Amino acid sequence: MTIRNEKNRPGVAIIVAVDEQNGIGRKGGLLCHLPADLKHFKEITTGHAIIMGRKTYESLPKGAFASSNDDEFVFIIGGERVYRASLPLADMLYMTRVHHTFNEVDTFFPEIDSDKWVLVEEERHERDEKHPYSFSFQTYIKKSNEI
């Protein structure tokens, strides 16, 4: 999917996994492990530039990302402060909505303003032996952009 923006800059996308309360983490880690979400994340972000905060960087295993070869698109992958600062700049949002509310959540994603964003795609997955929670892959675009 190609994003065109009126600012003549690379497209900016945010990718995030949230619970039903927009929680994204607790105690410096993710809320849960969903193998399909990790696969989805890799499929979307591989080959693109990645921007993340220090805590997100430090939480990743060494060699988590291959080098970027695409200057057409930039992905924001967290954490909370980076998401808040970059949401106004973003053209696209890839959200994994985990259909569960977790306890002791201490980091959150900002609320999505339906006046500025439109849900263009949603794919639901039920819980199974590898996924303890049901979840949905959701794709939003900023209303001022065209696909």
mmCIF file of all heavy atoms in Angstrom, residues 18-21 23-26 30-34 98-106 108 132-133:
data_model
loop_
_atom_site.group_PDB
_atom_site.id
_atom_site.type_symbol
_atom_site.label_atom_id
_atom_site.label_comp_id
_atom_site.label_asym_id
_atom_site.label_seq_id
_atom_site.Cartn_x
_atom_site.Cartn_y
_atom_site.Cartn_z
ATOM 1 N N VAL A 18 -2.340 -3.162 21.230
ATOM 2 C CA VAL A 18 -3.006 -2.570 22.396
ATOM 3 C C VAL A 18 -4.056 -3.524 22.947
ATOM 4 O O VAL A 18 -4.610 -4.343 22.215
ATOM 5 C CB VAL A 18 -3.679 -1.222 22.048
ATOM 6 C CG1 VAL A 18 -2.673 -0.213 21.532
ATOM 7 C CG2 VAL A 18 -4.813 -1.398 21.056
ATOM 8 N N ASP A 19 -4.358 -3.363 24.245
ATOM 9 C CA ASP A 19 -5.473 -4.126 24.805
ATOM 10 C C ASP A 19 -6.745 -3.286 24.680
ATOM 11 O O ASP A 19 -6.749 -2.225 24.041
ATOM 12 C CB ASP A 19 -5.176 -4.580 26.238
ATOM 13 C CG ASP A 19 -5.266 -3.486 27.299
ATOM 14 O OD1 ASP A 19 -5.471 -2.287 26.972
ATOM 15 O OD2 ASP A 19 -5.129 -3.838 28.490
ATOM 16 N N GLU A 20 -7.823 -3.728 25.304
ATOM 17 C CA GLU A 20 -9.112 -3.035 25.171
ATOM 18 C C GLU A 20 -9.123 -1.642 25.817
ATOM 19 O O GLU A 20 -10.003 -0.842 25.541
ATOM 20 C CB GLU A 20 -10.245 -3.889 25.755
ATOM 21 C CG GLU A 20 -10.514 -5.164 24.978
ATOM 22 C CD GLU A 20 -11.100 -4.930 23.602
ATOM 23 O OE1 GLU A 20 -11.420 -3.785 23.222
ATOM 24 O OE2 GLU A 20 -11.234 -5.924 22.862
ATOM 25 N N GLN A 21 -8.140 -1.356 26.662
ATOM 26 C CA GLN A 21 -8.025 -0.035 27.298
ATOM 27 C C GLN A 21 -6.887 0.791 26.696
ATOM 28 O O GLN A 21 -6.431 1.753 27.299
ATOM 29 C CB GLN A 21 -7.789 -0.218 28.810
ATOM 30 C CG GLN A 21 -8.878 -0.994 29.516
ATOM 31 C CD GLN A 21 -10.169 -0.197 29.600
ATOM 32 O OE1 GLN A 21 -10.153 1.003 29.866
ATOM 33 N NE2 GLN A 21 -11.285 -0.855 29.367
ATOM 34 N N GLY A 23 -3.883 -0.156 26.484
ATOM 35 C CA GLY A 23 -2.632 -0.475 27.154
ATOM 36 C C GLY A 23 -1.651 -1.089 26.180
ATOM 37 O O GLY A 23 -2.039 -1.876 25.312
ATOM 38 N N ILE A 24 -0.359 -0.714 26.337
ATOM 39 C CA ILE A 24 0.671 -1.270 25.446
ATOM 40 C C ILE A 24 1.777 -1.990 26.207
ATOM 41 O O ILE A 24 2.563 -2.706 25.600
ATOM 42 C CB ILE A 24 1.282 -0.201 24.515
ATOM 43 C CG1 ILE A 24 1.930 0.930 25.309
ATOM 44 C CG2 ILE A 24 0.233 0.319 23.542
ATOM 45 C CD1 ILE A 24 2.694 1.927 24.450
ATOM 46 N N GLY A 25 1.873 -1.802 27.504
ATOM 47 C CA GLY A 25 2.953 -2.460 28.227
ATOM 48 C C GLY A 25 2.811 -2.366 29.728
ATOM 49 O O GLY A 25 1.976 -1.633 30.259
ATOM 50 N N ARG A 26 3.664 -3.151 30.392
ATOM 51 C CA ARG A 26 3.759 -3.101 31.852
ATOM 52 C C ARG A 26 5.152 -3.538 32.268
ATOM 53 O O ARG A 26 5.726 -4.465 31.684
ATOM 54 C CB ARG A 26 2.680 -3.947 32.513
ATOM 55 C CG ARG A 26 2.758 -5.413 32.193
ATOM 56 C CD ARG A 26 1.698 -6.205 32.904
ATOM 57 N NE ARG A 26 1.617 -7.511 32.262
ATOM 58 C CZ ARG A 26 0.581 -8.293 32.300
ATOM 59 N NH1 ARG A 26 -0.493 -7.921 32.957
ATOM 60 N NH2 ARG A 26 0.600 -9.454 31.707
ATOM 61 N N LEU A 30 6.092 -6.195 26.982
ATOM 62 C CA LEU A 30 4.815 -6.276 26.273
ATOM 63 C C LEU A 30 3.765 -6.904 27.179
ATOM 64 O O LEU A 30 4.086 -7.569 28.167
ATOM 65 C CB LEU A 30 4.974 -7.121 25.006
ATOM 66 C CG LEU A 30 5.942 -6.589 23.954
ATOM 67 C CD1 LEU A 30 6.074 -7.584 22.811
ATOM 68 C CD2 LEU A 30 5.477 -5.240 23.438
ATOM 69 N N LEU A 31 2.510 -6.740 26.818
ATOM 70 C CA LEU A 31 1.415 -7.289 27.613
ATOM 71 C C LEU A 31 1.253 -8.791 27.412
ATOM 72 O O LEU A 31 0.823 -9.499 28.325
ATOM 73 C CB LEU A 31 0.104 -6.578 27.273
ATOM 74 C CG LEU A 31 0.082 -5.087 27.594
ATOM 75 C CD1 LEU A 31 -1.229 -4.473 27.133
ATOM 76 C CD2 LEU A 31 0.292 -4.861 29.081
ATOM 77 N N CYS A 32 1.550 -9.285 26.222
ATOM 78 C CA CYS A 32 1.397 -10.712 25.940
ATOM 79 C C CYS A 32 2.216 -11.077 24.707
ATOM 80 O O CYS A 32 2.719 -10.204 24.001
ATOM 81 C CB CYS A 32 -0.077 -11.078 25.734
ATOM 82 S SG CYS A 32 -0.851 -10.296 24.309
ATOM 83 N N HIS A 33 2.312 -12.378 24.468
ATOM 84 C CA HIS A 33 3.025 -12.892 23.296
ATOM 85 C C HIS A 33 2.012 -13.553 22.371
ATOM 86 O O HIS A 33 1.360 -14.524 22.750
ATOM 87 C CB HIS A 33 4.087 -13.904 23.720
ATOM 88 C CG HIS A 33 4.787 -14.550 22.567
ATOM 89 N ND1 HIS A 33 5.690 -13.868 21.783
ATOM 90 C CD2 HIS A 33 4.690 -15.791 22.050
ATOM 91 C CE1 HIS A 33 6.129 -14.680 20.829
ATOM 92 N NE2 HIS A 33 5.538 -15.846 20.968
ATOM 93 N N LEU A 34 1.882 -13.003 21.164
ATOM 94 C CA LEU A 34 0.999 -13.560 20.145
ATOM 95 C C LEU A 34 1.847 -13.827 18.899
ATOM 96 O O LEU A 34 2.234 -12.886 18.199
ATOM 97 C CB LEU A 34 -0.141 -12.587 19.812
ATOM 98 C CG LEU A 34 -1.071 -12.197 20.952
ATOM 99 C CD1 LEU A 34 -2.010 -11.074 20.523
ATOM 100 C CD2 LEU A 34 -1.864 -13.413 21.431
ATOM 101 N N VAL A 98 -5.878 -6.456 20.989
ATOM 102 C CA VAL A 98 -6.013 -7.678 21.772
ATOM 103 C C VAL A 98 -7.320 -7.566 22.548
ATOM 104 O O VAL A 98 -7.529 -6.597 23.290
ATOM 105 C CB VAL A 98 -4.820 -7.873 22.728
ATOM 106 C CG1 VAL A 98 -4.966 -9.162 23.519
ATOM 107 C CG2 VAL A 98 -3.500 -7.860 21.948
ATOM 108 N N HIS A 99 -8.189 -8.524 22.357
ATOM 109 C CA HIS A 99 -9.522 -8.464 22.967
ATOM 110 C C HIS A 99 -9.474 -8.985 24.398
ATOM 111 O O HIS A 99 -10.018 -10.041 24.743
ATOM 112 C CB HIS A 99 -10.526 -9.229 22.103
ATOM 113 C CG HIS A 99 -10.604 -8.689 20.718
ATOM 114 N ND1 HIS A 99 -11.065 -7.418 20.434
ATOM 115 C CD2 HIS A 99 -10.214 -9.218 19.533
ATOM 116 C CE1 HIS A 99 -10.993 -7.207 19.129
ATOM 117 N NE2 HIS A 99 -10.476 -8.277 18.562
ATOM 118 N N HIS A 100 -8.783 -8.206 25.240
ATOM 119 C CA HIS A 100 -8.600 -8.532 26.645
ATOM 120 C C HIS A 100 -8.162 -7.248 27.346
ATOM 121 O O HIS A 100 -7.546 -6.378 26.726
ATOM 122 C CB HIS A 100 -7.516 -9.614 26.798
ATOM 123 C CG HIS A 100 -7.297 -10.061 28.198
ATOM 124 N ND1 HIS A 100 -8.138 -10.950 28.832
ATOM 125 C CD2 HIS A 100 -6.336 -9.739 29.100
ATOM 126 C CE1 HIS A 100 -7.706 -11.172 30.059
ATOM 127 N NE2 HIS A 100 -6.605 -10.447 30.245
ATOM 128 N N THR A 101 -8.459 -7.139 28.627
ATOM 129 C CA THR A 101 -7.973 -6.028 29.436
ATOM 130 C C THR A 101 -6.985 -6.593 30.448
ATOM 131 O O THR A 101 -7.355 -7.455 31.257
ATOM 132 C CB THR A 101 -9.130 -5.316 30.158
ATOM 133 O OG1 THR A 101 -10.043 -4.822 29.165
ATOM 134 C CG2 THR A 101 -8.624 -4.158 30.998
ATOM 135 N N PHE A 102 -5.753 -6.138 30.388
ATOM 136 C CA PHE A 102 -4.690 -6.650 31.254
ATOM 137 C C PHE A 102 -4.601 -5.841 32.539
ATOM 138 O O PHE A 102 -4.914 -4.643 32.564
ATOM 139 C CB PHE A 102 -3.345 -6.614 30.518
ATOM 140 C CG PHE A 102 -3.277 -7.583 29.374
ATOM 141 C CD1 PHE A 102 -3.661 -7.196 28.096
ATOM 142 C CD2 PHE A 102 -2.849 -8.879 29.575
ATOM 143 C CE1 PHE A 102 -3.607 -8.086 27.038
ATOM 144 C CE2 PHE A 102 -2.793 -9.783 28.520
ATOM 145 C CZ PHE A 102 -3.176 -9.385 27.254
ATOM 146 N N ASN A 103 -4.119 -6.481 33.591
ATOM 147 C CA ASN A 103 -3.886 -5.828 34.880
ATOM 148 C C ASN A 103 -2.506 -5.187 34.904
ATOM 149 O O ASN A 103 -1.615 -5.590 34.148
ATOM 150 C CB ASN A 103 -3.981 -6.848 36.020
ATOM 151 C CG ASN A 103 -5.373 -7.415 36.153
ATOM 152 O OD1 ASN A 103 -6.366 -6.711 35.983
ATOM 153 N ND2 ASN A 103 -5.455 -8.699 36.450
ATOM 154 N N GLU A 104 -2.333 -4.217 35.768
ATOM 155 C CA GLU A 104 -1.046 -3.569 36.027
ATOM 156 C C GLU A 104 -0.405 -2.936 34.793
ATOM 157 O O GLU A 104 0.815 -2.844 34.690
ATOM 158 C CB GLU A 104 -0.072 -4.561 36.675
ATOM 159 C CG GLU A 104 -0.578 -5.120 38.000
ATOM 160 C CD GLU A 104 0.379 -6.120 38.616
ATOM 161 O OE1 GLU A 104 1.578 -6.104 38.281
ATOM 162 O OE2 GLU A 104 -0.096 -6.929 39.430
ATOM 163 N N VAL A 105 -1.228 -2.506 33.856
ATOM 164 C CA VAL A 105 -0.709 -1.820 32.672
ATOM 165 C C VAL A 105 -0.202 -0.444 33.097
ATOM 166 O O VAL A 105 -0.878 0.267 33.847
ATOM 167 C CB VAL A 105 -1.813 -1.698 31.596
ATOM 168 C CG1 VAL A 105 -1.332 -0.871 30.421
ATOM 169 C CG2 VAL A 105 -2.261 -3.074 31.153
ATOM 170 N N ASP A 106 0.987 -0.074 32.613
ATOM 171 C CA ASP A 106 1.539 1.225 33.005
ATOM 172 C C ASP A 106 1.939 2.104 31.815
ATOM 173 O O ASP A 106 2.426 3.210 31.997
ATOM 174 C CB ASP A 106 2.709 1.057 33.972
ATOM 175 C CG ASP A 106 3.832 0.175 33.432
ATOM 176 O OD1 ASP A 106 3.874 -0.080 32.210
ATOM 177 O OD2 ASP A 106 4.667 -0.267 34.241
ATOM 178 N N PHE A 108 0.433 3.385 27.805
ATOM 179 C CA PHE A 108 -0.779 3.417 26.991
ATOM 180 C C PHE A 108 -0.543 4.109 25.660
ATOM 181 O O PHE A 108 0.294 4.998 25.542
ATOM 182 C CB PHE A 108 -1.900 4.148 27.743
ATOM 183 C CG PHE A 108 -2.352 3.427 28.964
ATOM 184 C CD1 PHE A 108 -1.714 3.622 30.176
ATOM 185 C CD2 PHE A 108 -3.405 2.526 28.914
ATOM 186 C CE1 PHE A 108 -2.114 2.933 31.309
ATOM 187 C CE2 PHE A 108 -3.826 1.838 30.032
ATOM 188 C CZ PHE A 108 -3.175 2.042 31.240
ATOM 189 N N PRO A 132 -3.379 -17.063 23.445
ATOM 190 C CA PRO A 132 -4.283 -17.138 24.590
ATOM 191 C C PRO A 132 -5.426 -16.112 24.568
ATOM 192 O O PRO A 132 -6.353 -16.209 25.370
ATOM 193 C CB PRO A 132 -3.365 -16.890 25.786
ATOM 194 C CG PRO A 132 -2.185 -16.165 25.231
ATOM 195 C CD PRO A 132 -2.041 -16.627 23.809
ATOM 196 N N TYR A 133 -5.353 -15.152 23.645
ATOM 197 C CA TYR A 133 -6.382 -14.114 23.544
ATOM 198 C C TYR A 133 -6.796 -13.959 22.083
ATOM 199 O O TYR A 133 -5.971 -14.091 21.185
ATOM 200 C CB TYR A 133 -5.859 -12.762 24.048
ATOM 201 C CG TYR A 133 -5.212 -12.858 25.397
ATOM 202 C CD1 TYR A 133 -3.830 -12.905 25.532
ATOM 203 C CD2 TYR A 133 -5.990 -12.929 26.553
ATOM 204 C CE1 TYR A 133 -3.230 -13.010 26.776
ATOM 205 C CE2 TYR A 133 -5.397 -13.036 27.797
ATOM 206 C CZ TYR A 133 -4.020 -13.081 27.907
ATOM 207 O OH TYR A 133 -3.438 -13.199 29.138
#
